[in-house]
Amino acid sequence: MASPTGKFGKPAIEHSNPLARTLLEKLDYDQLTNCMRCGFCLPACPTFHETGMEPASPRGRIAMMKAAVDGLMVPDQQFKDQMNLCLGCRACEPACPADVKYGQLIEQTKEAIAEHAHYTAPVKILRNTLFKKVFPKRGSLKLLGGTLALYQKSGLKKMARASGMMRLFPKHLAEMESIMPPASSKGVVERLGTFYPAQGEKVGTAAMFRGCIMDVMFAGTNVNTVELLSAAGFDVHIPDAQVCCGALHAHSGEINDARALAKANIEVFKKLDIDYIVSNAGGCGALLVEYDHLLMQDDHYREDAKWFAERVIDVSTLLVAKGNPLRFAEQAAGQEEVKVTYQDSCHLRNVMKGAHAPRVLMKKVANTEYIEMVDADRCCGSAGIYNVVQPEMAGDILAHKMEHANNTQASYMLTSNPGCLLQMKLGIEKHQPQQTMRAMHLVDFLRERMISSK
Amino acid sequence: MITESMSKQLKAIVGDKYFRTDPEALITHSYDGTPMLQALPDGVIYPETTAQVSEIMKIASANRIPIVTRGSGSNLCGGTTPLQGGIVMVMHRMNQIIEVDMENLTATVQPGVITGHFSKHIEELGLFYPPDPSSMKISTIGGNIAECSGGLRGLKYGTTKDYVLGLTAVLPSGAVIHTGGKLAKDVAGYDLTKLLVGSEGTLAVITEAILKLIPPPKTKKTMVAMYKDIYGAARTVSKIIQQHIIPATLEILDNPTIRVVDDFAKIGLPLDMAAILIIEQDGEPEMVERDIEAIYTICREEQADRLEIAQTREEAEKLLTARRSAFTALARLRPTTILEDATVPRSKIAEMILRTNTIAIKYNVNIATFGHAGDGNLHPTATTDARDSEEVHRVEEAFAEIFEAAIALGGTITGEHGVGSVKAPYLEWKVGEAGIEVMKGIKAAFDPHHILNPGKMFAKETRKRLVIHHG
């Protein structure tokens, strides 16, 4: 996926190490050269913050990538571990004066590592099931949603917990299980259909990207997103043939699967006459907005990918920038204000540059006081499947996060991404703030307080 | 080389985890913020106390192992690249603010404290630590002391050296010295505190510092003046000082910088301006108002084409955008950015900028200049590509001529970045042969076996001086 290299090309080295060979082939050597090692990325990096060790920083990781390609270092297990320790939050990118595309470099590196990986049998099965069977296929997801719902509703969940069955799983997986929301096989399309018209004066036409985890775990949020958009004056299409965005694949090095999913989505959305493709999950949106980069080398899809990427926008950004003003319930006399705080979605902030709009919206809601959390822009440790594969680092990061969360004394912790939302729920359950705190998607909070004109 | 037994001894001092010789550690401590410079160390060590540093130095001395101390490795002079191998000593674990003494207005800190964190902490206590190098978000106090870092506030408030009152330092022998103290006056012997500030890790390892704090200014006000004639900008700078006004910030951007910044930040800068001055004054409200008014008048007298005074803090931030994005805008142009800090008496800045522009044309290289006009500290910045050796050679030739020009105007080769390895070949141009000999004598007194940061400050060979004809 490397961009056409400049006039200097790549070093002509015949690596004997197979991973080094693949890294040389995949890594964008110009980007590696663009890092001038000023160190400005270090304070932005969560893993550097936790360890204080240069190898766990973006500058350190880029130096190792370049050293591996240049033949200064053999990409050994330690190299792979260090690359996998990266959350992929991309907080280093806005901090970089030279505009180094770190996100692309780490993805190219993970892709190379995945090609040479020898996964243990269970991990292989898990990766295969998730990446090739569950996420790409709508049917499997619904089935998964249905199964989860059955598991949760039938009392099996209670039984599993009571029987201590969950203790058989690693501790962090058991912890995750305990905060999973009720899943459902009924997604947004089953609830609202494939078209939902604008209320009041129409200001544009949007298509909703429903996401796979979102639509199974947080289908209600998807419904609320459509209703908010409609109330702000957007016609909303919800094409049913859309598939997973491919972000989890791309972040795990399964780049070709990600590309296949991107093409499928482009085909679906291209058929609609739309101004915007709306995402309510920073993690999905950040990949959608980079489809043009993902398919840069594909002559057939390059133009359409650009068309797609240009339309991608987060729901909060669209509401603030183009929507008719939403009406929120007035504060009733004698009512006490609720304190609200916000955890940035790294990908919404660092890739989609959408940190401003959520704050604008929260401040508009009557009867709330917005408190900015210290280090709200620092990753919460969720990072896709990071909290499952790197539980220790994720746990350390979450512990620091919850200290800051507690200091806000907020009763609502809002986020803009399902992974962050689950992580915040986990944090609240594990670290028990002094006051009652509820983690919620920003969209749900807004919808709850909006006055419907219907 | 580090033997098995040395490795064991070092691990016994700091713990297994904190002495590393694995490839990952060596690669990630083989560089600093300096372009085109990389050298692998033989080991990396992370001490936690002065006592540990002392024990490490004894072993290093006995075995003649080079020690390169390092904070965050953000310097631009090759100051912390281990050019002769040895052990890189990372001070990050010694990152405590030990004490803030509100009676004596001092802070006692360990060297690994991040400057930005420290400044913020001090501000929260209602006090002020003025040194503000651009890298302060990541650079450490120890690194700032070793390089004597400057920043935007140098003109009015001075630089790091003006805020270091005392030091604890470990000599190569392992002996620990304490210099200065919480003292405004102290003439007991040579001023070793001042000597160690800016010594670039070549004399001793600094393990603790007592810093001077001052009360913060009450308000500040920002303005911008744009000139079609660079001499008008330069005369403005001189006249401001002549009228006994010392602004907190007095920055200049030249025309090549203005073009690059506007292309990057799209803030509608007029591209036909030869220079922009960004001026900030702080202090008591009445004084700030009076000074800004006086400066405004001077700017008008000197034919400033456009003048803007910020009425709110937000407006001020907007005016500062041009200066703040200068480095970023330049860094994005080409893969390699070489940022130098030739410094001249402030009365000579116009001449220095024009000479720099002429030199850039002569060698056909891209150099833009911005910097601290008030203290004459300019940042001629070349954008190039390290892989193009022919162009890089021309850049090096251009910089040699820029250094020569600075010295000819009564200036220096480096105002705040340090000599390191990059400017070592030019040091003699500035301090002379006798100056070098005295410095070498000092080095030998502290470090007889030359184990501290070898290859820095003193070059094997001084670069041949250029013969320049000044028309």
Side-chain angles (χ1 to χ4, degrees), chain B residues 14-80:
Chain B
V14 291
D16 286 356
K17 210 176 132 190
Y18 294 113
F19 176 64
R20 299 177 59 176
T21 53
D22 53 300
E24 172 186 283
L26 303 186
I27 288 289
T28 54
H29 294 86
S30 64
Y31 53 78
D32 54 31
T34 317
M36 302 179 291
L37 207 59
Q38 186 162 23
L40 286 172
D42 300 302
V44 181
I45 200 158
Y46 302 80
E48 205 185 6
T49 62
T50 303
Q52 285 182 2
V53 173
S54 167
E55 290 306 309
I56 295 165
M57 290 316 298
K58 283 178 195 161
I59 293 172
S61 262
N63 297 283
R64 307 283 192 267
I65 300 282
I67 295 284
V68 180
T69 40
R70 175 186 184 274
S72 296
S74 55
N75 76 85
L76 297 167
C77 65
T80 56

Side-chain angles (χ1 to χ4, degrees), chain A residues 7-9 29-30 33-34 36-40 42-43 48 52-55 59-60 63-64 67 72-73 76 78 82 96-99, chain B residues 17-18 20 22-24 27-29 31-33 37-38 46 70 72-74 92 134-135 137-138 327-328 331-332 335 337 385 387-388:
Chain A
K7 60 174 170 170
F8 299 102
Y29 200 75
D30 283 343
T33 313
N34 281 349
M36 52 185 184
R37 296 169 172 168
C38 63
F40 285 18
L42 270 63
F48 178 74
M53 293 276 186
E54 177 87 18
R59 178 173 69 172
M64 284 192 278
L72 275 179
M73 170 188 196
D76 52 5
Q78 201 186 20
Q82 199 53 262
C96 177
D99 195 27
Chain B
K17 210 176 132 190
Y18 294 113
R20 299 177 59 176
D22 53 300
E24 172 186 283
I27 288 289
T28 54
H29 294 86
Y31 53 78
D32 54 31
L37 207 59
Q38 186 162 23
Y46 302 80
R70 175 186 184 274
S72 296
S74 55
H92 272 164
S134 303
S135 55
K137 264 189 162 173
I138 187 58
F327 178 58
T328 301
R332 286 171 189 220
T337 308
D385 190 325
R387 294 168 291 183
D388 188 339

Side-chain angles (χ1 to χ4, degrees), chain A residues 311-378:
Chain A
R311 276 161 181 73
V312 174
I313 189 165
D314 186 73
V315 55
S316 56
T317 312
L318 183 59
L319 288 174
V320 169
K322 306 281 178 195
N324 296 328
L326 298 171
R327 285 171 53 234
F328 295 104
E330 296 291 319
Q331 181 168 4
Q335 216 174 3
E336 231 187 279
E337 283 201 332
V338 289
K339 285 183 179 157
V340 174
T341 195
Y342 179 70
Q343 164 61 33
D344 276 297
S345 147
C346 294
H347 285 171
L348 178 55
R349 183 185 185 95
N350 301 323
V351 185
M352 301 183 81
K353 313 277 183 247
H356 186 58
R359 290 170 168 83
V360 172
L361 289 168
M362 283 179 281
K363 286 174 188 166
K364 278 191 182 154
V365 179
N367 195 25
T368 59
E369 184 193 352
Y370 175 70
I371 317 264
E372 177 79 18
M373 174 169 64
V374 173
D375 285 348
D377 60 349
R378 201 178 276 283

